Every structure is written in C-alpha cells, then in structure tokens.
Amino acid sequence: MISRTLRIGFVAASVTIAALLAGHTSMAQGVDSTAKKIGNKTASVAVKGAMKITDKTYKGKEGPGGQTVYIDKKDRKYYVDEKGKKVYLKPSEIRDKQEN
C-alpha cells in the first residue's frame, strides 16, 4: 500500500502542476493577443505607406470614421482598416473632411 504521506505528496504535486499549466496558458493567450495587435498595426502602417505611393489620396474627403480615402487605378474609393485591409466605399459613405 501507498503510505498516507506519499498520497498527500502526489495530490499536492498534481495541484501544483495544474496551477502552473493554467498560469502558462493564460500568459500565452495574453502574448498571442498582443502579437496579433502588433501584427495588425504593422500591416496597417505598411499598406497605408504603399497606398500613398501607388494610389491617389482623395483630397478634402474622408471615410465614415474619418479615415483617409484613396483612389485606385480603377477609380474605386477605399480606406485601409486597422488590420491593413482595403474597405471599398460607396459614394454615399464618402463625406467632406471635417476641420478640427
């Protein structure tokens, strides 16, 4: 038979291991979330920089949330979202730029 002290030791070790694994999981989720945010911001900045070179900026106009509006080679209007993706706009979504 396993002695009582040995059983208590196994239970204590199991609880400790479970707590450590749970701590690593939550820490990994935080790192993953931060990495995604940094990746999205980097993509957005890179795409916006490329758009300033390749496409025209629609002067005096802005998107529904105050975003810079670009015009591509096919005369389509769009803005770049926070994840670095192009969001094409309908004419009704483009408004005159608000002065601060």
Side-chain angles (χ1 to χ4, degrees), residues 4-71:
R4 179 178 173 162
T5 309
L6 205 52
R7 274 190 261 162
I8 293 173
F10 281 137
V11 170
S14 299
V15 169
T16 303
I17 290 171
L20 288 173
L21 290 176
H24 285 297
T25 302
S26 66
M27 187 173 77
Q29 288 174 349
V31 170
D32 186 43
S33 169
T34 304
K36 283 183 182 179
K37 287 179 185 175
I38 292 171
N40 289 340
K41 184 67 176 175
T42 303
S44 177
V45 169
V47 170
K48 286 178 183 177
M51 294 309 108
K52 288 189 185 266
I53 295 169
T54 60
D55 293 338
K56 296 178 185 177
T57 303
Y58 201 173
K59 303 277 185 198
K61 301 290 183 178
E62 64 184 8
Q67 305 92 339
T68 302
V69 177
Y70 300 98
I71 305 171

